Amino acid sequence: MTIKDSPEEWEVRATATPFVGNKTSVRTDDVVMPDGSVARRDYQVHPGSVAVLALDHQDRAVVLHQYRHPVRHKLWEIPAGLLDVPGENPLHAAQRELYEEAHVKAEDWRVLTDVYTTPGGCSEAVRIFLARDLSEAEGERFEVEDEEADMELARVPVGDLVRGVLAGELHNNCLVVGVLSLVAARGGDGLDALRPAEAPWPARPFES
């Protein structure tokens, strides 16, 4: 038995978009179930995201402390951002986010993992990159606003992040998945066996 996700699309009898926001929208679909009945499903339509687990030579990860209003918490997170342009190359987007949020660049990029964040209620797909061989970016720092104006930047040892995740003290999806995937990769075939930075991503097809 092969354990692998597979694409599939059930018949939709009717669809509506009752809400359209700045970056996302809400869609309502009437979906035909296997027994022929029709069930209504509401979900958020999301353009997709990228995130970056950036490691320095001391095995510290670049993390951000940022307020997230929906959950009423300031969360420690790894740099991340939306795929604002349809078909945008996710590596280019990740490099941009690392520069804008941490003013850092990296020479070595690999795909750490791909995830659907909340597939029961949102179409968001996230590609999490591993970035190594870090250095300070040149030029002016990106001008931040809104929640990002209060953002704190730090470099934290990977071991401390793992302990925080398992203790229930760190909750950001991309940080949790990224850090634990890093540990799993190191315990498996090693980081150099990870997929290349421009590996295909069926969830969000892009041009090289």
Side-chain angles (χ1 to χ4, degrees), residues 64-116:
L64 315 164
H65 202 204
Q66 185 171 350
Y67 177 65
R68 294 301 188 183
H69 186 70
V71 295
R72 307 309 198 266
H73 270 72
K74 285 191 78 171
L75 301 179
W76 284 102
E77 307 178 350
I78 58 177
L82 295 175
L83 289 169
D84 294 313
V85 180
E88 181 178 17
N89 187 308
L91 174 61
H92 299 166
Q95 291 170 332
R96 180 188 68 235
E97 293 300 331
L98 186 61
Y99 169 78
E100 291 182 354
E101 295 192 344
H103 203 64
V104 166
K105 63 180 181 180
E107 298 301 323
D108 187 289
W109 289 82
R110 296 177 187 272
V111 175
L112 190 52
T113 190
D114 299 324
V115 294
Y116 291 114

Side-chain angles (χ1 to χ4, degrees), residues 4-146:
K4 182 179 179 180
D5 295 339
S6 57
E8 184 168 324
E9 188 169 354
W10 292 0
E11 180 186 354
V12 175
R13 291 278 174 84
T15 187
T17 306
F19 170 79
V20 176
N22 185 34
K23 298 292 185 181
T24 67
S25 60
V26 173
R27 184 176 297 165
T28 298
D29 288 344
D30 290 342
V31 186
V32 179
M33 298 290 109
D35 64 358
S37 63
V38 176
R40 180 157 292 179
R41 295 290 179 260
D42 302 317
Y43 58 99
Q44 182 185 16
V45 179
H46 194 285
S49 306
V50 292
V52 185
L53 182 60
L55 295 182
D56 67 14
H57 69 282
Q58 298 181 52
D59 205 38
R60 300 177 303 175
V62 176
V63 290
L64 315 164
H65 202 204
Q66 185 171 350
Y67 177 65
R68 294 301 188 183
H69 186 70
V71 295
R72 307 309 198 266
H73 270 72
K74 285 191 78 171
L75 301 179
W76 284 102
E77 307 178 350
I78 58 177
L82 295 175
L83 289 169
D84 294 313
V85 180
E88 181 178 17
N89 187 308
L91 174 61
H92 299 166
Q95 291 170 332
R96 180 188 68 235
E97 293 300 331
L98 186 61
Y99 169 78
E100 291 182 354
E101 295 192 344
H103 203 64
V104 166
K105 63 180 181 180
E107 298 301 323
D108 187 289
W109 289 82
R110 296 177 187 272
V111 175
L112 190 52
T113 190
D114 299 324
V115 294
Y116 291 114
T117 53
T118 49
C122 180
S123 68
E124 182 181 18
V126 179
R127 169 156 282 189
I128 303 176
F129 289 90
L130 174 65
R132 295 178 292 175
D133 194 5
L134 307 185
S135 61
E136 292 297 316
E138 300 175 353
E140 295 292 326
R141 283 188 171 272
F142 183 75
E143 186 174 343
V144 297
E145 58 184 11
D146 300 329

Side-chain angles (χ1 to χ4, degrees), residues 178-191:
V179 167
L180 297 187
S181 295
L182 173 71
V183 173
R186 283 176 167 169
D189 295 331
L191 301 185

